[in-house]
Amino acid sequence: RKEEELDSKDAIILHQFSRPRNGVPSLSPFCLKMETYLRMADLPYQNYFDGKLSPQGKMPWIEYNHKKVSGTEFIIDFLEEKLGVNLNKHLGPHERAVSRAVTKMVEEHLYWTLAYCQWVENLHETQKMVSLFGPFSDLLKWIFCHLTKGIVKREMYGHGIGRFSEEEMYTLMEKDMRTLAGLLGDKKYIMGSTVSTVDATVFGHLAQAMWTLPGTRPERLIKGELINLAMYCERIRRKFWPEWHHDDDNTLYESEESSEASKTYSPLQDFSFYSRTETFDEEGNSISQTPDTDYTGHSLFDSDVDMDEYRDQEQCK
């Protein structure tokens, strides 16, 4: 594979896995978390889909001014220090503590049960979503998915949660999801009416249940009994991922902030709305030049505009 030295001077380069084939930005909750955070914080970035892990063996990771940082928590801390962004500035000490507790529950507990569903129980469907190309793509996808299945099962066993039966693991998963639903209630975001860092974390994980696990127990739960979580996911998707469109969009998840006009989407294949420059493929080649404005004429960097001031219906006129 051709290597190319990227110039990260004053530019955030986000390394992550390739886009899957089902239109979802990532099958990795942490990659989706990181990219959603960058959009929430209104930070321009470049995607680099090289699949290369960080020196610590992590994905995603970033380069900024030639410094490499991995681990989503450390990346966020780094960006806050270097660029002065802070999605949690409106939170008090108690709310910050709750936010961190929720983050750890999601990343260290719920993550594993969703990974089991994605890479073990529902592996056949996940394999269809993996994006690999070439004359041996089907074989490579089969090998990759079954290797991942083995890794997930081994790491779950080491974690401890993999030593329980499948039914017991799903019981734990349901408890976590019900906890999130209870915490969210009828609020717009986890910590209230304003988005915070924990929302990027929760969305990155719940989006897997919403859009990558068809027919599974987590999907049935989030789209059934825990409908407020589905509306929450849809709310974030429409606000921060306006080009992420699904043919099976359901008006059931719409709120008063949504309208028929908000269903007008601009087809962008590379999901790079918020990149100031170009997105690169696995060979280091430019895919496309991303625009500075969307089809409404609004700046694509104004990603954190208050929805109460700029309703979707008004933006689409």
Side-chain angles (χ1 to χ4, degrees):
R1 184 179 64 216
K2 181 176 66 175
E3 297 287 346
E4 179 175 311
E5 186 70 24
L6 297 178
D7 184 7
S8 62
K9 186 178 186 305
D10 297 327
I12 300 172
I13 298 174
L14 176 62
H15 295 259
Q16 61 170 314
F17 298 114
S18 298
R19 302 295 193 197
R21 292 186 171 185
N22 65 333
V24 175
S26 182
L27 295 177
S28 163
F30 293 98
C31 288
L32 183 53
K33 166 194 173 179
M34 195 65 249
E35 192 168 1
T36 301
Y37 171 84
L38 291 172
R39 291 174 176 232
M40 288 178 171
D42 201 16
L43 294 175
Y45 61 93
Q46 293 178 338
N47 276 316
Y48 198 66
F49 302 114
D50 55 353
K52 183 179 179 180
L53 300 179
S54 71
Q56 294 81 13
K58 293 285 190 179
M59 187 72 91
W61 55 287
I62 69 163
E63 292 180 82
Y64 181 76
N65 282 337
H66 307 291
K67 182 174 178 58
K68 300 176 180 179
V69 186
S70 66
T72 56
E73 183 172 356
F74 292 114
I75 292 173
I76 291 172
D77 289 344
F78 173 81
L79 294 176
E80 287 182 351
E81 178 185 353
K82 295 295 182 181
L83 302 177
V85 297
N86 189 350
L87 294 181
N88 298 331
K89 60 185 177 182
H90 62 287
L91 301 180
H94 175 73
E95 293 173 312
R96 289 172 186 260
V98 171
S99 177
R100 179 165 177 79
V102 172
T103 296
K104 294 301 108 179
M105 179 192 75
V106 171
E107 294 186 343
E108 305 296 340
H109 201 258
L110 177 62
Y111 164 76
W112 291 109
T113 56
L114 291 175
Y116 175 84
C117 187
Q118 189 173 42
W119 294 103
V120 179
E121 186 196 21
N122 205 46
L123 183 64
H124 180 69
E125 290 297 324
T126 301
Q127 183 174 325
K128 297 177 183 178
M129 303 177 194
V130 172
S131 179
L132 288 175
F133 302 95
F136 303 106
S137 59
D138 290 339
L139 175 61
L140 290 175
K141 282 197 297 183
W142 186 93
I143 294 173
F144 168 77
C145 288
H146 282 78
L147 283 174
T148 303
K149 174 182 177 179
I151 293 172
V152 168
K153 292 180 70 175
R154 184 179 70 246
E155 293 189 352
M156 288 183 69
Y157 189 85
H159 175 279
I161 198 170
R163 305 182 187 218
F164 297 112
S165 68
E166 181 177 292
E167 185 61 34
E168 288 172 327
M169 283 190 287
Y170 278 125
T171 297
L172 296 174
M173 177 204 69
E174 290 189 11
K175 286 184 177 181
D176 288 344
M177 292 181 67
R178 292 182 194 280
T179 297
L180 290 174
L183 181 62
L184 176 64
D186 59 358
K187 299 192 300 294
K188 183 181 292 187
Y189 301 112
I190 295 295
M191 302 308 298
S193 60
T194 305
V195 72
S196 57
T197 302
V198 69
D199 291 299
T201 301
V202 174
F203 175 74
H205 288 74
L206 290 183
Q208 308 304 317
M210 273 286 289
W211 293 294
T212 73
L213 298 172
T216 61
R217 290 174 66 171
E219 186 203 48
R220 293 195 299 270
L221 190 61
I222 196 172
K223 294 183 178 180
E225 183 179 349
L226 307 181
I227 194 67
N228 66 327
L229 293 182
M231 295 175 67
Y232 167 81
C233 288
E234 189 65 27
R235 185 177 304 121
I236 292 179
R237 190 192 77 160
R238 295 192 182 204
K239 181 174 176 63
F240 298 105
W241 292 90
E243 80 281 29
W244 171 4
H245 173 52
H246 275 261
D247 293 334
D248 60 349
D249 279 353
N250 196 324
T251 56
L252 179 65
Y253 309 129
E254 291 185 8
S255 65
E256 68 277 3
E257 298 169 357
S258 303
S259 66
E260 288 300 318
S262 70
K263 292 184 179 181
T264 304
Y265 295 87
S266 180
L268 293 178
Q269 299 299 320
D270 60 4
F271 293 93
S272 299
F273 252 176
Y274 297 92
S275 296
R276 289 189 187 275
T277 51
E278 296 175 338
T279 292
F280 300 93
D281 62 15
E282 297 176 1
E283 296 296 328
N285 300 315
S286 170
I287 297 176
S288 65
Q289 183 73 30
T290 56
D292 290 335
T293 57
D294 64 8
Y295 61 92
T296 69
H298 293 293
S299 169
L300 294 174
F301 306 113
D302 297 335
S303 62
D304 204 23
V305 174
D306 191 339
M307 292 180 70
D308 293 331
E309 297 179 6
Y310 295 94
R311 297 170 66 91
D312 291 340
Q313 183 175 359
E314 293 298 318
Q315 291 181 2
C316 294
K317 286 183 179 180

